[in-house]
Amino acid sequence: RNSEEMNHLTINLSALTHNLNQIKTLVGDRPKVMGVVKADAYGHGLVDVAKALERNKVHSLGVAHFHEAMELRNRGVSFPIVILCGIRTREEAEAAVRYELIPTLFDPALVEVVAAEAAKKRSLAKVYIKVDTGMGRLGLRASDLGAFLNHVTRFKTIRTEGLTSHLSSADEADPEFTETQIRRFRRAIETGRAMGLDLPLNNLA
C-alpha cells in the first residue's frame, strides 16, 4: 500500500446501525442502550457516529471528558450525554447544568458545586454516581458509598439517575473476577435503594 491508502479509513454508518439493532434485539426492551463515543468514538468520528446513534434512538450517549460533551452540544447533538469520567471545575459544573449534560460524580466537593450551579439556574441536575467495584481507577469504595449517597440526597437540585461502574476483566477467559464485580455492583444498588433512591438507570456493561 502507498502512504495515501494507509491514511484512509472508511466508516460504514449503516453497519453501525445494524450492530446497534442487533444489540437492541439481544438485550430486549427493558434495558436502555447508551452509545459510548469517547476517544473520537474509538477513532470512528465523534460527531458522525453520535448523530447516527441519535437518529437510531439510543437512550443516551457516553463520553469520557467534558470537552467531548461540549463538542457534541456545539455540533447540534441534543440527546442526553453522560460524562463518564466526571467533571473537575466549577466552570465545567456550570456548563454541565446549562447544557443539560449528565456528569458522573464521586467527589463530595463536586456534588456541592453541581448542586449550587443548578440552584442558581433554578434547574435540576441529573447525575450518575461512580462505584469502584474492582477496576481501581475511579469511583467510590463500597465502604464510602452510603455516606456519599447521604451527602447527595441533601441537595434537592440533584437527581441521581443511577450508579455506574466498569468491568476490568470482562474479556478474560476466567469469569471469576467479573462475577465478583457484578455481585459488588448489585450490593451497591441495594444500598442505594434501601436509602430511598430509585436508581432507575444502572450501568455496568
Side-chain angles (χ1 to χ4, degrees):
R1 293 180 180 180
N2 62 36
S3 59
E4 184 177 337
E5 288 175 327
M6 293 294 286
N7 291 326
H8 183 77
L9 178 68
T10 300
I11 305 301
N12 186 337
L13 292 177
S14 63
L16 173 71
T17 300
H18 170 78
N19 292 343
L20 172 62
N21 288 333
Q22 292 294 105
I23 289 167
K24 287 179 176 179
T25 299
L26 284 169
V27 301
D29 294 331
R30 190 161 171 260
K32 309 298 182 188
V33 177
M34 178 191 295
V36 178
V37 291
K38 66 181 183 176
D40 194 34
Y42 298 92
H44 292 74
L46 173 66
V47 175
D48 287 339
V49 169
K51 288 188 173 182
L53 293 171
E54 186 177 33
R55 284 193 301 273
N56 286 279
K57 306 247 180 326
V58 293
H59 173 269
S60 53
L61 298 167
V63 297
H65 302 294
F66 170 79
H67 68 87
E68 297 168 307
M70 287 304 301
E71 182 175 355
L72 290 177
R73 281 288 184 261
N74 291 334
R75 297 288 294 274
V77 173
S78 60
F79 262 39
I81 301 173
V82 181
I83 306 172
L84 296 167
C85 293
I87 54 175
R88 292 177 289 181
T89 66
R90 182 172 294 277
E91 290 74 22
E92 289 182 356
E94 187 276 333
V97 172
R98 176 182 299 183
Y99 293 101
E100 297 183 351
L101 307 172
I102 306 171
T104 300
L105 299 179
F106 43 87
D107 179 342
L110 280 169
V111 173
E112 297 184 23
V113 171
V114 170
E117 292 300 327
K120 281 183 197 174
K121 292 180 174 53
R122 298 186 180 182
S123 124
L124 187 65
K126 296 179 181 178
V127 305
Y128 280 83
I129 292 171
K130 179 90 179 220
V131 182
D132 181 7
T133 56
M135 184 86 174
R137 188 182 297 165
L138 295 174
L140 298 151
R141 294 175 300 182
S143 58
D144 297 327
L145 180 61
F148 188 87
L149 292 175
N150 264 327
H151 183 60
V152 171
T153 56
R154 289 173 43 213
F155 299 100
K156 303 309 177 191
T157 54
I158 290 182
R159 186 172 87 195
T160 302
E161 295 280 88
L163 306 183
T164 183
S165 192
H166 200 303
L167 296 173
S168 66
S169 310
D171 57 348
E172 295 180 4
D174 185 350
E176 183 178 356
F177 191 70
T178 296
E179 289 168 355
T180 297
Q181 285 192 266
I182 292 168
R183 286 194 298 272
R184 289 171 180 168
F185 193 59
R186 285 179 173 154
R187 284 198 296 269
I189 294 168
E190 289 168 4
T191 296
R193 288 182 173 159
M195 297 172 65
L197 291 167
D198 291 337
L199 303 179
L201 299 169
N202 301 292
N203 174 20
L204 182 62

